[in-house]
């Protein structure tokens, strides 16, 4: 039973990891930008949520209604300025620039908010509550909610990319930037929209992590970025549903590792990550298979 | 440079009587790195005309079209459209103002369906006669295959989608870059057979073609490039096959072209 419990917990945690990973995957798929500040931006979103909840007393769960638009605007602005400028030089430059962004954000947060860790809504029944199945399986309401949100986000992204005008333009620009220009599309604007969407998912990831665990200025690179990377690589670069599959594989591996020995949790996840990287570098769902 | 510029000037004088050009290129110089791809090219495209640029591989034809579309930055010279200087305008702005190019190699959006490709073309369209409906009418097979990925189409069908994607933007100047590339002659014939229908809606066509006989058949004015310079231009009916051959291959010593003296370069 303990093993079944581990697998169930792993699957549910995979939803959280998918939430981290889908934005990273989107930005790579469209702009070929590997955003190394991805995790730090999630932490920023979490801190904004903490601030907004403290100041306005908005219900914890609804804070995303304010944080998501803020991050989306920030995403558009960052893409149109810093990231686009780097892209104009070379794709490699974006690695350096987003790495720099990551360092600046992390140290900025340390400077202004200290190294203390903070949680979001730590005393809510939803955050602490769980229901049990049998004697050994305990499912946290929060994890279940996060998993549902992740699935909803992926469905929403899929619908947006396949049906909407901007989704179509994003796919067109990802296919052939120049041909899109000849059709009258300013790819820089389309990139901005894609970044706004990616940052909106980052905001949800940051808030979700703040409720699931604690945030501190180093969480972004130590945890969120690494897990997002692992989920993207395991699932398949550029594949949307691959991020959920990758997140689940990572989550299950971690929980099974923890079941063997509590200190093996992270190691088990990275071993699976390494195995996939060696045996199936294109990921479990390769890009060609994606609709 | 002096000879071709002189020939350009002569032509400007000749054709000025025909009216104001919709698209004009003045002394365009374009470099690819150290290499000079275009050396003071000038041309005037009048409204409603089919203007064909011919020339061998590497003559600079595609560079010329791409520069007019805004994808290359000229070292010097200017591009005028409807009397306004558009040399500094971004490619997408030129497209929305009515200079639309069907690029070489078709360049369809591979992960989009036929219909989605057309929709992207129509996103920033000008007002005008061309709709997706009209494109479907012109290419009868397209409607029932509109949900297929473009990778499943034949080369000729892909070319048709690329033309459709450009038409739904309602261009005033439609630029066609090497339509015949990689297509069977019968398919090329069929595609060029659509040209009268397209012109019937008031478009002006500027095309680049390696297939000289095809270009001579459809064009109202031709200009031959050789190594970035103009070696011949005029109405197809006014030039002889020998002149075209000399201009195309750069045979020195012929009386064919005013710029013939440079062709040994």
């Amino acid at each position: 039973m303990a093993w079944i419990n581990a697998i169930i917990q792993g699957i549910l945690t995979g939803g959280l990891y998918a939430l981290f990973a889908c934005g990273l995957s989107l930005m790579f798929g469209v702009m070929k930008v590997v955003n190394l500040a991805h995790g730090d931006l999630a932490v920023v979103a979490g801190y904004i949520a903490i601030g907004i909840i403290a100041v306005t007393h908005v219900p914890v769960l609804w804070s995303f209604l304010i944080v998501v638009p803020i991050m989306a605007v920030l995403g558009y602005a960052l893409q149109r300025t810093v990231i686009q400028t780097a892209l104009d030089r070379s794709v490699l430059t974006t690695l350096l620039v987003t790495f720099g962004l990551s360092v600046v954000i992390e140290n900025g947060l340390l400077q202004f908010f200290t190294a203390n860790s903070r949680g979001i809504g730590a005393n809510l029944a939803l955050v602490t509550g769980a229901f049990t199945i049998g004697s050994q399986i305990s499912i946290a309401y929060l994890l279940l909610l996060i998993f549902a949100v992740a699935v909803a986000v992926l469905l929403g992204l899929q619908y947006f990319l396949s049906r909407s005008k901007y989704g179509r333009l994003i796919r067109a620009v990802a296919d052939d930037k120049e041909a899109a220009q000849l059709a009258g599309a300013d790819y820089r604007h389309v990139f901005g929209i894609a970044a706004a969407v990616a940052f909106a998912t980052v905001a949800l990831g940051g808030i979700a992590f703040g409720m699931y665990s604690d945030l501190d200025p180093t969480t972004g690179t130590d945890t969120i970025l690494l897990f997002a990377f692992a989920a993207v690589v395991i699932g398949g670069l550029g594949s949307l549903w691959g991020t959920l599959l990758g997140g689940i594989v990572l989550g299950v591996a971690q929980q099974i590792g923890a079941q063997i020995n509590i200190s093996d949790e992270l190691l088990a996840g990275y071993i699976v990550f390494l195995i996939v990287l060696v045996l199936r570098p294109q990921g479990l769902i390769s890009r060609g298979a994606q609709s | 440079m002096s000879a071709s510029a002189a020939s350009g000037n002569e032509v400007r004088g000749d054709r000025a009587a025909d009216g104001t050009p919709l698209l004009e290129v003045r002394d365009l110089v374009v470099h690819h790195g150290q290499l000079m791809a275009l050396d003071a090219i000038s041309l005037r495209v009048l409204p409603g005309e089919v203007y064909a640029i011919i020339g061998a591989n590497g003559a600079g034809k595609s560079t010329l079209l791409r520069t007019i579309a805004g994808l290359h930055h000229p070292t010097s010279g200017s591009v005028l459209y409807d009397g306004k200087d558009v040399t500094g305008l971004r490619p997408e702005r030129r497209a929305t103002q009515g200079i639309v190019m069907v690029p070489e190699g078709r360049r369809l959006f591979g992960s989009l369906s036929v219909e989605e490709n057309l929709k992207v073309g129509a996103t920033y369209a000008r007002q005008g006669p061309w709709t997706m409906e009209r494109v479907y009418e012109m290419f009868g097979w397209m409607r029932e295959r509109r949900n297929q990925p473009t990778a499943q189409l034949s080369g000729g069908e892909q070319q048709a989608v690329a033309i459709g994607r450009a038409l739904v933007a309602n261009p005033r100047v439609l630029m066609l870059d090497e339509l015949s590339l990689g297509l069977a002659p019968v398919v090329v014939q069929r595609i060029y057979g659509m040209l009268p229908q397209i012109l019937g809606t008031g478009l002006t066509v500027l095309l680049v073609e390696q297939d000289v006989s095809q270009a001579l058949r459809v064009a109202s004015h031709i200009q031959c490039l050789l190594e970035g310079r103009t070696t011949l231009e005029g109405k197809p009916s006014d030039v002889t096959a020998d002149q075209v051959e000399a201009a195309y291959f750069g045979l020195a010593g012929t009386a064919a072209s005013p710029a013939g003296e440079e062709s040994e370069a």
Side-chain angles (χ1 to χ4, degrees):
Chain A
M1 274 311 253
W3 295 98
I4 295 173
N5 183 53
I7 290 170
I8 292 174
Q9 302 305 327
I11 291 172
L12 291 178
T13 322
L16 178 65
Y17 297 164
L19 221 40
F20 295 161
C22 62
L24 194 70
S25 181
L26 182 69
M27 286 192 62
F28 180 78
V30 178
M31 291 88 118
K32 301 288 170 287
V33 169
V34 176
N35 182 8
L36 293 178
H38 190 81
D40 300 290
L41 289 159
V43 175
V44 167
Y47 273 62
I48 294 175
I50 292 169
I52 284 170
I53 292 162
V55 173
T56 66
H57 304 291
V58 62
V60 172
L61 274 184
W62 296 107
S63 63
F64 80 91
L65 285 177
I66 305 168
V67 182
V68 166
I70 291 176
M71 291 303 287
V73 170
L74 180 67
Y76 185 89
L78 268 181
Q79 174 63 39
R80 288 305 299 266
T81 54
V82 180
I83 301 176
Q84 186 64 53
T85 309
L87 259 180
D88 289 341
R89 287 159 204 257
S90 77
V91 169
L92 274 181
T93 313
T94 61
L95 268 183
L96 297 177
V97 164
T98 56
F99 179 71
L101 210 56
S102 162
V103 173
V104 169
I105 292 172
E106 201 171 310
N107 287 286
L109 289 175
L110 267 175
Q111 184 70 34
F112 291 106
F113 299 102
T114 74
N116 294 340
S117 59
R118 297 147 207 266
I120 302 174
N123 47 8
L124 282 184
L126 176 82
V127 172
T128 52
F131 63 90
T132 53
I133 303 172
S135 57
Q136 294 209 36
I137 297 174
S138 160
I139 294 175
Y141 290 122
L142 180 68
L143 263 187
L144 204 56
L145 175 70
I146 292 174
F147 190 86
V149 167
V151 171
V153 163
L154 291 175
L155 281 172
L157 273 179
Q158 186 177 36
Y159 184 82
F160 168 74
L161 288 173
S162 61
R163 303 271 167 223
S164 73
K165 173 184 123 178
Y166 273 113
R168 197 160 49 234
L169 284 175
I170 284 173
R171 285 184 297 140
V173 164
D175 277 352
D176 192 332
K177 224 163 63 173
E178 212 172 75
Q181 284 185 295
L182 294 175
D186 184 346
Y187 70 85
R188 299 169 305 175
H189 176 61
V190 178
F191 278 181
I193 302 283
V197 172
F199 275 51
T201 68
V202 167
L204 291 176
I207 297 172
F209 194 77
M211 294 171 78
Y212 171 75
S213 173
D214 280 331
L215 293 169
D216 69 62
T218 60
T219 314
T221 39
D222 289 356
T223 307
I224 299 178
L225 180 68
L226 285 181
F227 290 177
F229 253 125
V232 168
V233 170
I234 293 171
L237 270 179
S239 159
L240 210 50
W241 289 98
T243 60
L244 183 60
L245 182 65
I248 287 174
V249 169
L250 180 67
V252 169
Q254 286 177 347
Q255 293 299 323
I256 287 178
Q259 193 63 36
I260 296 167
N261 184 337
I262 191 70
S263 63
D264 289 343
E265 179 177 339
L266 293 180
L267 184 65
Y270 293 131
I271 286 174
V272 169
F273 169 63
L274 204 62
I275 290 171
V276 171
L277 207 53
V278 171
L279 295 182
R280 201 175 155 79
Q282 74 273 37
L284 298 177
I285 300 178
S286 71
R287 197 160 183 220
Q290 186 205 1
S291 65
Chain B
M1 142 110 203
S2 59
S4 70
S7 86
N9 283 331
E10 268 169 47
V11 167
R12 262 177 233 162
D14 288 342
R15 286 165 60 78
D18 300 336
T20 33
L22 181 57
L23 182 73
E24 185 176 0
V25 167
R26 286 186 188 160
D27 300 323
L28 208 61
V29 178
V30 178
H31 286 86
H32 291 313
Q34 293 290 315
L35 189 84
M36 188 186 269
L38 293 181
D39 183 2
I41 294 293
S42 297
L43 60 86
R44 292 160 60 90
V45 183
L46 303 175
E49 145 171 274
V50 178
Y51 197 111
I53 314 277
I54 58 172
N57 255 337
K61 309 181 301 290
S62 287
T63 304
L64 175 57
L65 240 55
R66 289 172 58 84
T67 309
I68 295 172
L71 297 173
H72 289 310
H73 295 294
T75 314
S76 64
S78 52
V79 178
L80 282 83
Y81 169 63
D82 207 8
K84 290 189 293 284
D85 191 330
V86 295
T87 318
L89 222 52
R90 292 184 60 83
E92 59 268 18
R93 297 283 301 132
R94 299 190 202 196
T96 52
Q97 291 190 13
I99 308 177
V100 178
M101 177 162 86
V102 178
E104 183 178 334
R106 308 182 278 274
R107 306 277 291 268
L108 294 176
F109 303 117
S111 61
L112 274 62
S113 68
V114 170
E115 181 160 83
E116 286 176 324
N117 268 276
L118 295 181
K119 278 184 174 171
V120 170
T123 307
Y124 297 100
R126 299 168 64 248
Q127 293 288 320
W130 286 98
T131 57
M132 285 170 54
E133 196 54 37
R134 187 151 183 179
V135 170
Y136 287 150
E137 276 166 28
M138 189 163 76
F139 302 101
W141 55 271
M142 211 182 273
R143 188 194 308 271
E144 65 184 50
R145 300 180 65 184
R146 64 183 185 275
N147 291 323
Q148 286 186 7
T150 53
Q152 289 177 9
L153 304 179
S154 72
E157 289 163 346
Q158 290 184 6
Q159 191 61 273
V161 176
I163 293 171
R165 182 179 65 186
L167 285 175
V168 291
N170 278 304
R172 289 180 73 193
V173 178
L174 179 66
M175 299 198 290
L176 307 169
D177 195 354
E178 301 274 22
L179 282 191
S180 64
L181 205 73
L183 299 181
V186 56
V187 178
V188 176
Q189 293 288 345
R190 204 178 307 145
I191 287 178
Y192 274 105
M194 299 289 184
L195 215 50
Q197 275 193 65
I198 294 171
L199 290 164
T201 60
L203 268 80
T204 302
V205 173
L206 172 61
L207 62 88
V208 152
E209 189 52 80
Q210 228 176 317
D211 181 344
V212 176
S213 55
Q214 188 60 256
L216 290 171
R217 249 196 306 280
V218 298
S220 53
H221 193 92
I222 62 153
Q223 181 164 354
C224 186
L225 300 191
L226 179 72
E227 292 174 349
R229 294 170 199 170
T230 301
T231 48
L232 176 71
E233 71 159 295
K235 288 195 174 71
S237 54
D238 293 347
V239 298
T240 67
D242 287 345
Q243 283 178 316
V244 171
E245 198 183 325
Y248 190 94
F249 294 109
L251 304 175
T254 56
S257 73
E261 66 204 56
E262 308 172 45
S263 47
E264 76 277 2

